[in-house]
Amino acid sequence: MEKTAIVVGATSGIGREVALLLAEKGYKVGIAGRREDCLAEVSALHENIVATSQIDITKDEAPEKLVALADTLGGLDLYFHSSGIGYQNIPLDNQKELSTVETNALGWTRMITAAFHYFEAHPERKGHIAVISSIAGTKGLGAAPAYSATKRFQNSYIESLCQLARMKDLDISFTDIRPGFVATDLIKNEYYPLKLKAEEVACDIVKAIEKKKAIATIDWRYRILVFFWRLIPRWLWVRMKISTAGK
């Protein structure tokens, strides 16, 4: 049976590249995002991208649209979530913080639970939920409070759903993908060290999905960085002035 996948956040960056790679590997792909013109652009790039849907994950109707897209595909095997925002917010602008929480926590939860319920209702699909979180969830980052906090939220939520699936005896796989800084529109106007290329990150992501890895930190340099971050005690961490603003 031909495998199907939905990529939410496929209009640009990592989501776009992952959608194209999945299509290349023979998946029947449905893509979703807020910008209809970009969705049309991406769908024209490969014949296996067979359906599109304009979905704003901050809206209440988003889960219904997700299910409708899955029905258009004839069922769903893989849900891949790549939709998110983030800011360096040293001034602690309230609107930026709330906007980040609305998308990365509320909107994210809206879609992940919708995917979980879909697979729960269709146990024959043996579903797979894969999400892009971030290494930013490792520690609280003073330069990006809401972004860091929502990424940690995502890490814990996926772990919790993995346990919940076992409690319910559901055959659902979960992959928490934690990239370092990726050269996408999200950070194109800011300085970040060790920027990764979206195309290369997408390759690593698809490999992690195929192996059904529980957690995939990308790439090896960030795996080393995260290892040492975890060793830093809280009393020392909060005294460190970590920011990517300026060279």
Side-chain angles (χ1 to χ4, degrees):
M1 185 172 64
E2 189 177 33
K3 284 191 174 183
T4 62
I6 288 177
V7 179
V8 173
T11 54
S12 64
I14 298 172
R16 176 184 184 275
E17 298 303 326
V18 168
L20 290 170
L21 274 177
L22 291 173
E24 191 66 33
K25 287 181 172 289
Y27 278 80
K28 191 176 170 184
V29 181
I31 58 174
R34 290 185 301 173
R35 296 173 291 178
E36 290 184 283
D37 56 333
C38 293
L39 290 172
E41 232 175 72
V42 176
S43 67
L45 296 175
H46 203 287
E47 62 182 3
N48 282 346
I49 300 178
V50 297
T52 68
S53 179
Q54 193 277 328
I55 296 179
D56 182 342
I57 67 171
T58 66
K59 303 299 183 184
D60 289 338
E61 67 269 15
E64 292 177 14
K65 289 188 172 185
L66 176 64
V67 173
L69 183 57
D71 289 344
T72 300
L73 291 174
L76 180 62
D77 298 300
L78 168 65
Y79 175 78
F80 181 74
H81 191 97
S82 180
S83 181
I85 62 171
Y87 307 93
Q88 282 199 78
N89 193 16
I90 293 174
L92 204 63
D93 178 274
N94 191 51
Q95 189 52 50
K96 286 182 178 179
E97 294 296 281
L98 292 176
S99 178
T100 301
V101 171
E102 183 179 27
T103 299
N104 294 0
L106 299 180
W108 187 92
T109 303
R110 181 177 286 112
M111 301 308 290
I112 301 307
T113 55
F116 186 96
H117 288 312
Y118 179 89
F119 291 131
E120 186 175 24
H122 299 82
E124 74 283 358
R125 305 301 300 199
K126 296 183 179 179
H128 190 170
I129 296 174
V131 304
I132 295 180
S133 61
S134 172
I135 62 163
T138 307
K139 291 278 191 180
L141 297 173
Y147 183 75
S148 180
T150 54
K151 292 304 176 179
R152 188 177 295 187
F153 167 85
Q154 293 174 4
N155 299 156
S156 295
Y157 203 97
I158 284 296
E159 184 177 45
S160 300
L161 286 189
C162 186
Q163 186 181 74
L164 181 61
R166 303 302 177 269
M167 290 165 61
K168 289 174 172 271
D169 198 26
L170 300 173
D171 193 358
I172 305 174
S173 301
F174 298 87
T175 301
D176 181 355
I177 298 150
R178 305 177 182 180
F181 303 127
V182 184
T184 64
D185 290 345
L186 192 64
I187 62 172
K188 67 179 179 180
N189 296 322
E190 300 181 46
Y191 169 76
Y192 283 81
L194 303 176
K195 275 188 184 179
L196 305 173
K197 294 180 180 178
E199 298 88 347
E200 294 174 359
V201 170
C203 287
D204 287 340
I205 287 172
V206 171
K207 287 177 186 175
I209 288 172
E210 289 177 330
K211 293 178 181 178
K212 295 191 174 179
K213 283 189 173 182
I215 298 172
T217 302
I218 302 170
D219 63 3
W220 66 269
R221 295 167 297 177
Y222 285 102
R223 287 194 285 273
I224 293 171
L225 178 64
V226 165
F227 173 80
F228 284 108
W229 272 9
R230 288 188 175 130
L231 296 179
I232 301 172
R234 186 180 186 280
W235 66 266
L236 178 57
W237 178 264
V238 297
R239 287 166 172 78
M240 298 173 68
K241 297 179 180 180
I242 297 177
S243 172
T244 60
K247 298 186 180 181

